[in-house]
Amino acid sequence: MPFLVEDSWINAQAMTFDLYEIQDSAIAVDATYYLSYLLDNPPSHEPLLSALGGLTGIRAHIEANLDLWDKHRVTPLFVFDGQSVIGQDEVSLARRRAANHRTDEAWNLYSQSQAEQAVATFGANPGAFCLKNLYPMLQRIIKQRHLQFLVPPYSACAQLAYFELIDSDQCGGIMGPQELLLYPIRDSVIRSIDWEASTVTALCKRRVMRALGVGESMLVDSMLMTGTSFLLPFPPLMDASMYPNPFTIMDAVNMLRTSDKSVANACASFNDILQSQDPEWLDRYRKARMAIHHFIYIAESGEVCVNDFERLTNDNHEYLGLQLPAELFHYLNTGLIGARNLSCITHGQILIQPTLEGGVSDEYKKLMTHDILPLKEQALGLIIPRVHRGIGHKDITMRVWFDATFAYTINHRSLQPPPSSKVGTWDVKETDLRRFFPADFTGPIYLEVLALANSAFAETTKAKDKIIRGINSTEMVTSVAVWRFLHLRGYVNDNHELTRWGNALATTLLALKDANEDRPEVHGIEEAALLAFELIRFGLFNSKQGGQVPGVPRKGSDEDRSSLTIISQCATLLRLRHQSYGYTGPLNKSLLAFRSLSSAVREADRDLVEAIVASMFMYGQCARERNDYLEISHRLPFLEEPDIGLGIAVRTFFDDDEASDSKETRAARLAEFPTTFVPFAESLTDDFHICVDFVVSVNQGVQTLDSKELAPSEKTHWAKAQEYLEARPF
């Protein structure tokens, strides 16, 4: 299914207006809808998104689209989704599973060399990709263009509805999905803008109600029955024996009319279907209905408000979730932190979503049900002590998409030692830092790791007072957050000295610095090194990873295949420089499965970093009156993830390589390689050299570890990977 799952009958009611009617005004735009619309339609549509794990041309398409907004004197005000609404995670899980089922067919077609059909099937089913992963990129573009955005506590639709309801001076119209019709808006919802034809397509709520012959209450009920982003469709509507063709809102309206306009009566009439398919649907509907009526928004005064607050029921936590401090919503709104940590506190659950490839390897199961849990507990253990005391006594349960019986209660209350006691030992003054190191010795990651090799400086990082203040500059907020992360993750000990893992990471960073000295800055290389060590510690670089998943190396000895697996897995952590066109090249499901592992670790690490920086502000250690929140967020590691394009290119190239070939022969073949396999690669040979240097540098760090930290067999695998590359110069 496409990103936008909407009702065809409602879309048919759209009307067209002249563009001049919105010129010289601001339009509040649902950012998720904006991204969905771009990716579902040419020229931004990239059919291999779900197979590649990322996009190669989306930034250029966004820039070009925003140029058109500017050219026609229309200013977008982007509104991003905040925390999930009750039921939204469950709907997301169901939709991603459905998308995975269809992409399984695409992978089968690809394995049968039916490339065109495979690409079309991938392109029609991108739904397993999480659009929120694109938020940082879009927010960065918005900031660079001096546009504005905001992130409400929950739904962007609710915020847009508030703007429209009060006829806000901030915007002259709203643009977003059909779900906006659920809210008490009075005017039209812009759906798309045709810049060439100078027309605007919009949905008028009153027109839709007249065409259906219903009032507002029945419209809301009918739309909920057909399904939303937070409520699955009414099960009888999905019964193929009753509705052989795709259902529309007209079917829901007719069903309600035969049930005295009551959803409860409709449920009673089809009780047998509900009991067999979704016995909790009516309860979920009621929660969704209440969540819509009591929607939460940021008022123009800056206050977080609840619609119709006077009639809010005492059990509102059942459909709105727990109430978090407004301070956290401020950090969410400014882009300092994302919504994942807040959502799991608000709703008391973490629901792990399906992977892009839909596979469940033993490594993935172990990672998600055991190894990753301490990171999640530390993250929550840093934030929850600063919220309402009652929230701290609420259990947070983690569930996973691949095992309905698994449930784990997050232990954030009794961690020993408490993560706050560890992070509270760091109080670094900028004057001390610059007394030891010059201004061009910068982070993040490189500075923080290498600086601790200086024992005299490390001594100055220890907090001398219980109350910490004055961590104020953008650079120092970032650095202290990274130091605290390194401490919590075991790269630094309680004396603020590098551990063996920390020394191994430092060795790798120094080697990378030397290797890249004559190159322009390689974006994200230090972060990739840190993530590589995280993956090594979790035992995820494994030549047997993926089991029966297609795409493993084919040629050479077991040792060669093992080496190429590690090398290409490393390459997935790096960026393939690519022109602003959709990817056209080979695919690899086993590398996509590895990306699921690295994504899970990256996400957990990012949540921990965000919890650290949020706790710094909540404890008053940093100045709160500032305008660089987004810059701080974007300086912190683990924010964005590359696609697996470089990993595919590396594996494809070397899998057809002969070690006996000369350097000149291999270099000539590499020069010709992009023409056939990666036609829009910009600097593939240099990207390959960066990958080689990366593997060699990581190996240098790995070899400094002793057998207590890493099994000798694992060190041998890395040494063999370096030997593999040294035997194949280009």
Side-chain angles (χ1 to χ4, degrees):
M1 60 180 67
F3 283 114
L4 289 174
V5 182
E6 297 193 316
D7 188 273
S8 59
W9 188 93
I10 293 179
N11 278 339
Q13 310 308 306
M15 300 181 296
T16 302
F17 301 91
D18 288 328
L19 179 61
Y20 77 83
E21 294 191 31
I22 62 170
Q23 282 182 333
D24 298 312
S25 65
I27 301 297
V29 181
D30 183 315
T32 305
Y33 175 80
Y34 176 81
L35 291 169
S36 300
Y37 187 84
L38 283 181
L39 292 174
D40 278 345
N41 296 280
S44 308
H45 177 60
E46 294 193 26
L48 294 179
L49 166 61
S50 57
L52 196 64
L55 296 152
T56 53
I58 185 62
R59 183 184 179 94
H61 290 303
I62 290 173
E63 295 275 14
N65 182 265
L66 292 178
D67 285 342
L68 292 171
W69 285 74
D70 184 57
K71 177 182 176 182
H72 291 86
R73 307 197 314 275
V74 185
T75 304
L77 165 62
F78 286 98
V79 183
F80 292 82
D81 282 321
Q83 301 173 94
S84 59
V85 180
I86 293 282
Q88 198 162 10
D89 291 339
E90 287 76 10
V91 172
S92 177
L93 188 149
R95 289 181 176 178
R96 291 190 191 188
R97 273 182 168 161
N100 279 343
H101 180 70
R102 295 290 294 158
T103 54
D104 282 344
E105 297 177 19
W107 283 111
N108 289 333
L109 290 168
Y110 182 76
S111 66
Q112 296 164 14
S113 300
Q114 300 181 44
E116 289 187 10
Q117 297 95 318
V119 170
T121 306
F122 278 124
N125 298 278
F129 182 83
C130 180
L131 279 176
K132 289 187 177 182
N133 292 343
L134 301 179
Y135 278 10
M137 177 197 63
L138 180 54
Q139 289 173 352
R140 182 180 288 113
I141 294 172
I142 291 168
K143 193 75 171 178
Q144 289 169 349
R145 286 176 166 263
H146 305 292
L147 298 171
Q148 301 298 318
F149 74 85
L150 62 87
V151 187
Y154 292 92
S155 166
C157 282
Q159 187 66 42
L160 265 60
Y162 164 73
F163 285 148
E164 205 281 331
L165 186 62
I166 66 166
D167 196 17
S168 171
D169 291 336
Q170 294 189 55
C171 59
I174 58 175
M175 180 178 184
Q178 289 180 5
E179 281 186 17
L180 279 164
L181 302 180
L182 292 167
Y183 296 89
I185 63 172
R186 296 174 297 184
D187 206 342
S188 298
V189 176
I190 296 172
R191 302 284 289 153
S192 62
I193 303 174
D194 187 332
W195 302 106
E196 290 186 5
S198 295
T199 58
V200 178
T201 301
L203 276 172
C204 175
K205 185 173 183 178
R206 290 190 298 271
R207 174 186 169 92
V208 171
M209 289 193 295
R210 282 198 304 269
L212 287 171
V214 300
E216 183 162 0
S217 178
M218 195 166 171
L219 172 68
V220 172
D221 284 341
S222 302
M223 289 187 67
L224 287 173
M225 289 177 71
T226 57
T228 67
S229 65
F230 47 91
L231 180 66
L232 289 169
F234 188 48
L237 289 173
M238 296 187 288
D239 190 324
S241 63
M242 296 172 59
Y243 297 95
N245 298 317
F247 61 84
T248 70
I249 193 171
M250 282 296 295
D251 297 308
V253 168
N254 291 333
M255 191 175 283
L256 280 176
R257 283 179 175 145
T258 60
S259 304
D260 294 329
K261 301 181 181 180
S262 167
V263 174
N265 287 349
C267 289
S269 299
F270 296 98
N271 185 58
D272 54 336
I273 297 178
L274 261 67
Q275 290 303 315
S276 64
Q277 296 185 24
D278 191 351
E280 303 297 323
W281 190 89
L282 180 58
D283 182 56
R284 293 194 182 102
Y285 153 79
R286 287 170 172 156
K287 289 179 179 178
R289 198 70 161 83
M290 294 296 284
I292 291 167
H293 181 72
H294 294 293
F295 64 89
I296 297 174
Y297 58 90
I298 302 175
E300 291 193 317
S301 64
E303 182 183 2
V304 175
C305 298
V306 180
N307 185 57
D308 198 13
F309 180 76
E310 295 76 14
R311 294 183 176 85
L312 192 64
T313 59
N314 290 331
D315 63 346
N316 62 82
H317 61 279
E318 294 287 345
Y319 52 86
L320 295 180
L322 301 174
Q323 182 179 350
L324 297 182
E327 182 181 358
L328 279 173
F329 292 144
H330 172 65
Y331 301 142
L332 176 66
N333 181 34
T334 54
L336 176 68
I337 59 175
R340 278 195 303 263
N341 284 328
L342 307 191
S343 284
C344 65
I345 299 172
T346 295
H347 301 309
Q349 76 162 10
I350 302 172
L351 181 56
I352 303 299
Q353 297 290 331
T355 59
L356 273 180
E357 89 291 350
V360 188
S361 64
D362 291 340
E363 292 90 348
Y364 180 77
K365 287 181 182 178
K366 181 174 179 289
L367 177 69
M368 302 313 299
T369 61
H370 183 269
D371 293 349
I372 212 77
L373 299 178
L375 278 77
K376 296 185 179 296
E377 290 172 340
Q378 285 183 328
L380 295 174
L382 286 168
I383 295 177
I384 289 178
R386 299 300 295 173
V387 302
H388 190 280
R389 185 176 299 174
I391 293 177
H393 295 288
K394 296 285 187 179
D395 285 339
I396 296 175
T397 303
M398 191 181 95
R399 296 186 290 123
V400 294
W401 64 276
F402 53 84
D403 183 357
T405 64
F406 177 83
Y408 177 83
T409 301
I410 297 292
N411 174 30
H412 59 82
R413 289 187 286 267
S414 53
L415 295 174
Q416 293 299 328
S420 56
S421 68
K422 282 193 172 186
V423 300
T425 64
W426 292 86
D427 184 13
V428 189
K429 304 303 181 187
E430 193 159 11
T431 52
D432 289 334
L433 177 65
R434 292 308 164 205
R435 184 158 52 90
F436 285 90
F437 305 107
D440 60 352
F441 186 57
T442 59
I445 300 175
Y446 182 79
L447 175 150
E448 290 79 16
V449 174
L450 273 298
L452 294 181
N454 185 318
S455 57
F457 170 73
E459 191 64 29
T460 69
T461 64
K462 298 177 182 178
K464 299 169 181 61
D465 301 310
K466 187 174 182 179
I467 297 177
I468 298 172
R469 295 287 187 270
I471 305 174
N472 292 330
S473 71
T474 306
E475 293 76 13
M476 289 310 298
V477 172
T478 306
S479 291
V480 172
V482 172
W483 274 313
R484 292 178 175 187
F485 172 84
L486 294 171
H487 190 178
L488 289 175
R489 292 297 301 132
Y491 296 95
V492 179
N493 63 24
D494 291 343
N495 289 322
H496 294 197
E497 301 164 338
L498 294 175
T499 62
R500 288 188 182 275
W501 281 106
N503 278 314
L505 177 59
T507 301
T508 292
L509 292 174
L510 284 170
L512 283 172
K513 189 76 169 178
D514 291 341
N516 294 314
E517 189 171 2
D518 296 328
R519 290 192 184 105
E521 181 183 0
V522 181
H523 178 72
I525 193 78
E526 292 90 358
E527 177 185 313
L530 177 54
L531 181 59
F533 274 92
E534 288 284 86
L535 295 169
I536 292 169
R537 294 175 67 189
F538 285 122
L540 299 178
F541 280 108
N542 185 342
S543 62
K544 295 183 175 57
Q545 187 273 326
Q548 300 301 313
V549 177
V552 296
R554 299 173 290 107
K555 295 177 63 176
S557 64
D558 288 346
E559 185 179 284
D560 286 346
R561 292 197 297 271
S562 172
S563 295
L564 182 53
T565 296
I566 290 175
I567 294 163
S568 52
Q569 287 174 344
C570 281
T572 66
L573 308 181
L574 306 172
R575 296 184 184 277
L576 171 69
R577 283 172 284 182
H578 197 277
Q579 296 177 41
S580 298
Y581 300 100
Y583 176 83
T584 57
L587 304 175
N588 193 292
K589 194 172 185 180
S590 72
L591 287 177
L592 193 63
F594 177 76
R595 182 193 182 276
S596 296
L597 298 172
S598 66
S599 292
V601 175
R602 184 190 297 271
E603 184 177 296
D605 280 343
R606 178 67 190 189
D607 288 347
L608 181 55
V609 168
E610 289 187 358
I612 291 168
V613 76
S615 70
M616 290 168 63
F617 281 95
M618 294 179 80
Y619 277 97
Q621 297 172 0
C622 313
R624 295 187 177 104
E625 294 292 328
R626 58 197 308 143
N627 57 11
D628 62 346
Y629 283 117
L630 189 66
E631 183 181 353
I632 291 170
S633 176
H634 286 188
R635 282 176 55 86
L636 292 170
F638 311 117
L639 182 62
E640 296 180 85
E641 184 167 26
D643 57 62
I644 62 171
L646 184 56
I648 295 174
V650 167
R651 182 169 292 187
T652 304
F653 178 81
F654 283 110
D655 211 17
D656 286 331
D657 186 74
E658 298 293 341
S660 57
D661 286 346
S662 67
K663 179 179 180 179
E664 292 73 21
T665 300
R666 190 172 292 106
R669 194 166 67 85
L670 181 57
E672 293 296 323
F673 182 78
T675 304
T676 304
F677 293 96
V678 202
F680 299 117
E682 291 182 329
S683 304
L684 190 65
T685 299
D686 193 42
D687 286 343
F688 269 47
H689 280 296
I690 290 171
C691 177
V692 170
D693 292 338
F694 183 79
V695 174
V696 171
S697 299
V698 172
N699 178 51
Q700 288 184 31
V702 165
Q703 298 307 320
T704 67
L705 298 166
D706 62 25
S707 58
K708 292 181 181 178
E709 279 74 34
L710 192 66
S713 59
E714 291 298 313
K715 293 173 65 175
T716 301
H717 285 317
W718 282 94
K720 293 295 183 183
Q722 179 171 337
E723 291 173 10
Y724 178 96
L725 291 170
E726 289 172 344
R728 294 164 175 80
F730 52 89

